[in-house]
Amino acid sequence: MKQMTRAVLLCAALTAAACTNGNRFGSDSGFNDSGVGVDGINADPSSPVYFQQTVGDRVFFTVDQHVLTDEAKFVLSSQANWLLTNADYLAVVEGHADEQGTREYNLALGARRANAVMEYLIAQGVPRERLKFVSYGKERPVEVCSEEACYSKNRRAVTIISAGLGL
Amino acid sequence: MKVFASLLIGLWAAIAALPVLAQNGPLRIEITEGVVEPLPYAVPDFVAENAGAAQFAEELSRIIAEDLTGTGLFREVPKAAHISRVTSFSSPIQFADWKAINAQALITGAVRTESGGRLVVKFRVYDVFAGTELGKGLQFAGNVDGIRRMAHKVADAVYSRITGEGGYFDSRVVYVSESGPKNDRKKRLAIMDYDGANVKFLTGSEAIVLAPRFSPNGDRVLYTSYESGFPQIFVLDVGSVRSRVLRAGDGSMSFAPRFSPNGQTVIFSLTRGSNTDIYAMEVASGQMRRLTDGPGIDTAPSFSPRGDQIVFESDRSGSQQLYIMPATGGEARRISFGKGRYGTPVWSPRGDLIAFTKQAGGRFHIGVMRTDGSEERLLTASFLDEGPTWAPNGRVIMFTRETQGATGSASLYTVDISGRNLKRVRTPGGGSDPSWGPLQ
């Protein structure tokens, strides 16, 4: 729990916009070495801030699905590269669902999503022992409206990185 | 019993000197699926038999009336309309006065205080039009702080004598108390009386807690907590308010627990990889057995009252549907075939019905169907209704209703299995995931 708490605090320390940013698939997304995040925050490419803002910490899913879209695979390939470059970090993949579903089912659905992300990262070469996944079902929405505009942002898997034993 | 005020209600004691009319008279509500006209009744303030009891006399009759009227089966004749005053528990009843205001049932009672903060409550129920007493007069004793329970016991007896079915007023509900905005919701386990009174918190709000489930005799509560960072099942002892993890963590997710009818087995979901299956664990030995084995999501299991079968939801067919399998696992048969998705099945205490959540056409419903899937009836409809739980007598269902939009919040509601009498439970703050415990 220590690792997760740290990551959550890190997220909280950034602006709310940075944590829920929908613009991460723009021109600044992908693996680059500018060291500047999308919000202009100077960030070391090996920092969690860089991972979160520049690499992109989350991918989105369609209704009731856990299949990775091409867009998601692009982000996850960048995540895998980052994790391979920064081998001291561990990651927990958090799976989420929108509110349109029953509680238990959404927990299981979030697990499917998080697991799909984790397996993709493993397939890209990230060692399994550095990864874990957890589902929050519909318990932790980032957007609060009851419309597809919000649901599409809540159906997500977020890769939360934390310092491993080496740091 | 740190959190709960201890409450010692004495054994029910028949008042020996009173005439006994054990058979039920013509005064009877047959609870059917059809519309019923609520039965008019009167419950004058209880007689205070000593000065100290005066403050309790009105409260008792008020709580009894709230219970009875709250069922939708009874209608109170207001006190202002009463002609007779009941000033002594032993005075003869002026039936003509009660007939004149069309009170078909009359409940009279008396209360006195005794040393040590104890209350003694006695009551009688009359069939006004037959001019007879219905059942025996009863008395019982309890602590002053248990006055609501004593009133509920009286109301249960009245309900049971008039309907011929068990009551549910002297029961408790464990649920998740909710506060805070939708994107920062705080959740704590809480326990309350069935009517929302006497809320006590069982956990803090540091970790997400979900879906508490009472044991059959109400001594323990299963729930899911994110205390470790991963959802895990805990068992809470209601008396000591201490909890322990059911199954040592291996980083896998476990959730959706429920007890078997004998309280010795817990069935739940365990997620391994992308697959969620149902398992059973013996509470005493920790021995586990896998009950489902397939790539789909199998979750929300619930035992039949005899403990020989389990109803659960699975998306093995491509969408969430209800299935029944033997309690030992094995072949499952699908019982839901209507349009839409079905989840969160719960077997009724009588064994005849399954309550469920249905999603269809962008709406959520609480519904019931027979155990073979026939006679499906939807009882509610809203933006988001889910998670039914049965009253101990199988006549009422409590569930979660969540409102739409950015300011949406969750509340507890009850509905009769006829679909009538939809009511919000008056909890302080929001509430979700109720589990209705046994009659105490």
Side-chain angles (χ1 to χ4, degrees), chain B residues 185-407:
Chain B
R185 199 52 63 77
K186 301 293 184 217
K187 295 194 167 196
R188 309 174 68 179
L189 282 198
I191 193 168
M192 64 179 187
D193 296 349
Y194 95 99
D195 57 2
N198 292 321
V199 171
K200 305 277 193 302
F201 294 108
L202 302 175
T203 67
S205 59
E206 305 80 30
I208 301 172
V209 286
L210 303 174
R213 306 295 180 209
F214 257 126
S215 62
N217 68 5
D219 65 339
R220 288 163 296 159
V221 170
L222 291 165
Y223 65 100
T224 302
S225 171
Y226 280 73
E227 197 177 298
S228 68
F230 292 82
Q232 273 186 297
I233 298 165
F234 288 75
V235 194
L236 179 135
D237 178 80
V238 173
S240 66
V241 201
R242 293 219 172 97
S243 45
R244 66 172 179 89
V245 69
L246 180 71
R247 184 175 154 272
D250 58 2
S252 60
M253 297 174 31
S254 55
F255 56 99
R258 267 186 210 277
F259 280 105
S260 61
N262 67 9
Q264 291 170 11
T265 303
V266 176
I267 46 175
F268 60 97
S269 272
L270 184 63
T271 298
R272 289 200 161 116
S274 69
N275 186 22
T276 297
D277 278 312
I278 295 169
Y279 290 72
M281 175 186 263
E282 298 306 317
V283 179
S285 67
Q287 199 181 348
M288 280 211 347
R289 180 191 176 113
R290 186 172 185 164
L291 301 183
T292 68
D293 183 5
I297 291 175
D298 296 335
T299 190
S302 166
F303 271 103
S304 66
R306 285 193 305 178
D308 58 337
Q309 296 179 88
I310 292 169
V311 63
F312 64 100
E313 60 169 78
S314 174
D315 69 350
R316 59 186 63 179
S317 73
S319 73
Q320 259 177 299
Q321 300 293 339
L322 307 185
Y323 294 79
I324 289 177
M325 67 177 169
T328 49
E331 200 176 332
R333 68 175 197 280
R334 179 169 162 182
I335 62 164
S336 62
F337 291 96
K339 222 177 158 189
R341 302 165 60 146
Y342 296 79
T344 77
V346 193
W347 217 301
S348 76
R350 298 163 181 232
D352 56 341
L353 296 173
I354 308 282
F356 55 83
T357 305
K358 179 170 181 168
Q359 280 172 264
R363 303 273 282 171
F364 281 70
H365 308 269
I366 300 298
V368 293
M369 60 172 65
R370 300 194 64 80
T371 56
D372 62 1
S374 66
E375 296 179 39
E376 173 180 328
R377 285 183 292 122
L378 299 182
L379 309 179
T380 73
S382 92
F383 166 71
L384 209 176
D385 287 346
E386 72 170 305
T389 181
W390 292 90
N393 71 353
R395 280 291 167 194
V396 180
I397 287 171
M398 193 179 290
F399 61 97
T400 307
R401 171 166 288 183
E402 190 138 358
T403 53
Q404 193 168 356
T407 58

Side-chain angles (χ1 to χ4, degrees), chain A residues 1 64 99-105 107-108 112 115 132-136 138-141 144 146 151, chain B residues 182-183 187 208 210 213 226 229-230 253 273-274 297 315 320 341 359 383-384 386 404-406 433:
Chain A
M1 192 56 200
D64 205 20
E99 67 187 357
Q100 290 282 88
T102 50
R103 200 175 311 287
E104 296 86 349
Y105 184 82
L107 277 178
R112 273 183 176 167
N115 184 255
K132 283 182 180 174
F133 76 90
V134 63
S135 171
Y136 284 90
K138 59 176 172 176
E139 303 305 315
R140 286 287 179 258
V144 295
S146 296
Y151 294 162
Chain B
K182 210 165 162 181
N183 57 358
K187 295 194 167 196
I208 301 172
L210 303 174
R213 306 295 180 209
Y226 280 73
F230 292 82
M253 297 174 31
S274 69
I297 291 175
D315 69 350
Q320 259 177 299
R341 302 165 60 146
Q359 280 172 264
F383 166 71
L384 209 176
E386 72 170 305
Q404 193 168 356
D433 293 0

Side-chain angles (χ1 to χ4, degrees), chain A residues 84-98:
Chain A
L84 288 168
T85 309
N86 299 282
D88 288 324
Y89 283 95
L90 305 176
V92 176
V93 183
E94 298 179 350
H96 299 267
D98 66 35

Side-chain angles (χ1 to χ4, degrees), chain B residues 55-118:
Chain B
Q55 58 175 310
F56 305 112
E58 183 275 337
E59 189 177 0
L60 283 163
S61 65
R62 179 169 45 79
I63 297 164
I64 292 163
E66 283 170 6
D67 283 346
L68 294 175
T69 303
T71 63
L73 301 173
F74 300 87
R75 174 172 63 78
E76 186 187 14
V77 178
K79 289 183 175 118
H82 295 185
I83 299 165
S84 276
R85 298 285 158 209
V86 177
T87 51
S88 158
F89 186 61
S90 53
S91 299
I93 298 299
Q94 304 301 313
F95 287 110
D97 287 350
W98 300 104
K99 267 187 217 172
I101 59 169
N102 193 34
Q104 294 187 34
L106 171 68
I107 302 143
T108 67
V111 55
R112 69 170 186 273
T113 52
E114 291 189 339
S115 60
R118 286 174 71 74

